[in-house]
Amino acid sequence: MYNNRKYVIGLFFIAIALIYIYKLFSIQVMDSSYKLSAESNVFRKVVDYPARGLVFDRNDKLLVYNESSYDLLATPNRVPEFDTADLCEILGTSVESFKAEFQKAVKHSRYKESVVFKQIPKHRYSYLQEKMYKFPGFEVQKRTARKYEHNAAAQVLGYVREADPKYIKANPYYKPGDYVGVAGIEKSYEEQLRGQKGTKIYIVDVKNKVQGKYKDGIYDTMAVVGLNIQSTLDIDLQEYGEKLMQNKVGSIVAIEPSTGEILALVSSPGYDPNLLVGSDMAINYPKLLADPYKPMYNRALMACYPPGSTFKTINALIGLAEGIITPTSSFPCNGGFRLGSHVVKCHHGGSLDLVSSIQHSCNAYYCYEFTKLIAAPKYGRADSAYSKWRRRVQSFGLGTKLGSDLNQESG
């Protein structure tokens, strides 16, 4: 019996030893989370943000460029008591707002730096630099902010804002604090404009204090500046169009017929694109959204408008193609066109041929032409005639998207 007990105790210790061996193997080999945690306490990876590409008009006039901007970071455990009101006055923000951001940093980590104020403009940064000695535990990270050369083409150019969690989840390239193009050219050409982020790796101690570059920076990567974009816009024509549309609601689109290039795309009312730059964006964006005239709504791409008298030329071409009319065909326009109790008036009077009907934009002429097409014996039935007419209309592209590279186009 004593011998049996000896074997049982021996097996018990062997089992415990095997459990410890397995656990150590699991922690050190199979589970990388501890390794990553240890590395995060030794290394600090600092993102080197590239400048976004510039945007030019068709004549090489600069439309969008970058201006130096700065983020204020804090490492909470290294921040002693300081004059919060003084710092907030330098930054141009409220004490309450700053305290809320600082508490977020404390909650995130007392030993790691966090952004507590974003996009400090250049004029405030220069003054802040003189006063940084008063605020130990804070440091500045250089960024770039978009600037727009002209107070025009806001809906075409779009704007840049911080990527939200939903966008980051769908696009793993982006991390919290990254900026992304929203609407217009900024969005359509985001991958080209954004460039490629670089990384610098530093060795830090247990209190997150930098001790130097890891292996003299051999694993650092350089940021790659974004590509420049040349648009088809003519900024002079764009500004002229916006001037014509002042105090009006509507849109103008000017297209080069030979190529389909958009020379001007005006949506009125518009807004100054520089309103959505830097820290002022948080104030201006809600105001623009609340504006009853919807300046952020791109009427040129998203609104629906009746084609108006330009539709008469399409009907003229359909009538000629279907043999319903000839260039000399005329209809009596005195009193306009009457169908039951409905009357389409004509402001000219008399009889007009095809060329004159276009010259005078005669409403009645094209009502007569459409009636003749619907009643033409060669189609057999009115619905067959209408289907033929509708297919002809669609062949001109009406009711379909143009397929431009501006992403807000509605069908």
Side-chain angles (χ1 to χ4, degrees):
M1 187 172 178
Y2 174 79
N3 289 335
N4 289 339
R5 191 190 312 173
K6 181 174 65 174
Y7 290 126
V8 170
I9 293 171
L11 289 172
F12 176 75
F13 279 107
I14 292 171
I16 291 175
L18 289 173
I19 291 171
Y20 272 108
I21 291 169
Y22 172 76
K23 192 63 178 176
L24 286 169
F25 179 79
S26 176
I27 291 172
Q28 295 183 15
V29 179
M30 297 173 64
D31 188 354
S32 61
S33 62
Y34 291 93
K35 179 183 177 183
L36 294 173
S37 178
E39 286 184 352
S40 67
N41 290 325
V42 175
F43 303 120
R44 182 198 297 174
K45 292 184 179 179
V46 177
V47 177
D48 186 11
Y49 292 98
R52 287 177 74 85
L54 310 179
V55 181
F56 298 87
D57 85 339
R58 66 188 300 109
N59 300 311
D60 296 323
K61 291 184 178 179
L62 183 64
L63 303 181
V64 189
Y65 62 100
N66 300 301
E67 188 174 77
S68 294
S69 176
Y70 306 86
D71 291 344
L72 183 66
L73 295 86
T75 307
N77 76 312
R78 295 173 55 200
V79 177
E81 288 189 8
F82 66 97
D83 189 339
T84 310
D86 186 18
L87 179 57
C88 291
E89 185 178 353
I90 295 170
L91 297 174
T93 187
S94 68
V95 172
E96 294 75 17
S97 175
F98 183 83
K99 283 183 175 179
E101 291 300 318
F102 190 82
Q103 285 306 312
K104 288 181 185 177
V106 173
K107 190 175 181 180
H108 173 66
S109 173
R110 295 187 61 85
Y111 296 95
K112 292 184 179 180
E113 59 188 11
S114 300
V115 176
V116 291
F117 192 84
K118 299 170 184 174
Q119 294 200 341
I120 305 168
K122 189 165 58 174
H123 68 280
R124 291 190 181 275
Y125 168 72
S126 58
Y127 184 56
L128 175 64
Q129 280 295 86
E130 297 176 5
K131 303 293 184 179
M132 281 298 286
Y133 71 92
K134 297 167 63 176
F135 308 109
F138 290 93
E139 58 184 291
V140 173
Q141 173 179 266
K142 187 175 181 180
R143 298 290 295 267
T144 56
R146 283 311 230 184
K147 293 292 287 184
Y148 300 88
E149 184 72 13
H150 302 266
N151 179 16
Q155 294 98 332
V156 183
L157 299 173
Y159 57 97
V160 172
R161 73 178 179 198
E162 189 172 342
D164 58 35
K166 183 179 178 181
Y167 190 89
I168 292 170
K169 185 177 180 181
N171 301 271
Y173 170 84
Y174 298 92
K175 305 298 179 188
D178 287 357
Y179 290 87
V180 61
V182 179
I185 290 173
E186 294 279 21
K187 181 176 181 179
S188 296
Y189 293 94
E190 166 64 15
E191 289 189 14
Q192 291 83 4
L193 289 168
R194 73 186 183 191
Q196 186 69 36
K197 291 180 288 189
T199 305
K200 291 184 173 67
I201 306 174
Y202 296 95
I203 301 173
V204 295
D205 61 18
V206 292
K207 293 186 177 181
N208 204 38
K209 189 175 181 180
V210 174
Q211 302 298 306
K213 281 195 172 185
Y214 175 63
K215 291 195 175 181
D216 295 324
I218 63 171
Y219 294 108
D220 292 354
T221 57
M222 295 287 291
V224 179
V225 177
L227 298 176
N228 295 338
I229 297 290
Q230 183 165 33
S231 71
T232 63
L233 282 183
D234 182 326
I235 192 60
D236 295 330
L237 186 61
Q238 177 75 26
E239 289 182 321
Y240 179 65
E242 293 191 16
K243 183 178 179 181
L244 292 176
M245 291 298 291
Q246 280 185 2
N247 303 317
K248 298 181 179 69
V249 176
S251 64
I252 299 173
V253 181
I255 297 175
E256 169 55 54
S258 63
T259 62
E261 294 172 334
I262 297 174
L263 305 179
L265 192 145
V266 177
S267 177
S268 183
Y271 64 93
D272 182 350
N274 287 299
L275 290 174
L276 299 182
V277 170
S279 56
D280 291 338
M281 181 180 183
I283 300 170
N284 295 324
Y285 184 73
K287 289 182 180 179
L288 290 171
L289 284 182
D291 190 316
Y293 291 101
K294 300 180 178 179
M296 296 188 72
Y297 179 66
N298 194 329
R299 289 172 168 82
L301 296 177
M302 303 173 72
C304 294
Y305 299 99
S309 291
T310 56
F311 193 62
K312 293 170 186 173
T313 56
I314 292 177
N315 269 318
L317 291 170
I318 293 173
L320 290 170
E322 291 295 313
I324 302 301
I325 57 172
T326 67
T328 59
S329 295
S330 62
F331 296 102
C333 297
N334 291 327
F337 174 84
R338 182 182 297 274
L339 184 64
S341 61
H342 184 70
V343 177
V344 178
K345 294 182 178 181
C346 178
H347 54 76
H348 179 263
S351 295
L352 298 174
D353 62 13
L354 180 60
V355 174
S356 297
S357 74
I358 294 173
Q359 180 184 354
H360 295 283
S361 190
C362 179
N363 297 325
Y365 186 97
Y366 292 97
C367 292
Y368 281 115
E369 183 227 349
F370 184 72
T371 302
K372 186 176 179 181
L373 183 145
I374 291 296
K378 70 175 185 174
Y379 300 116
R381 296 174 12 162
D383 59 347
S384 298
Y386 172 78
S387 296
K388 182 67 176 179
W389 172 84
R390 187 173 185 273
R391 287 194 295 273
R392 287 281 193 182
V393 169
Q394 289 176 324
S395 71
F396 287 92
L398 274 70
T400 59
K401 291 184 178 182
L402 291 175
S404 76
D405 51 0
L406 297 175
N407 49 61
Q408 290 177 297
E409 187 178 355
S410 297

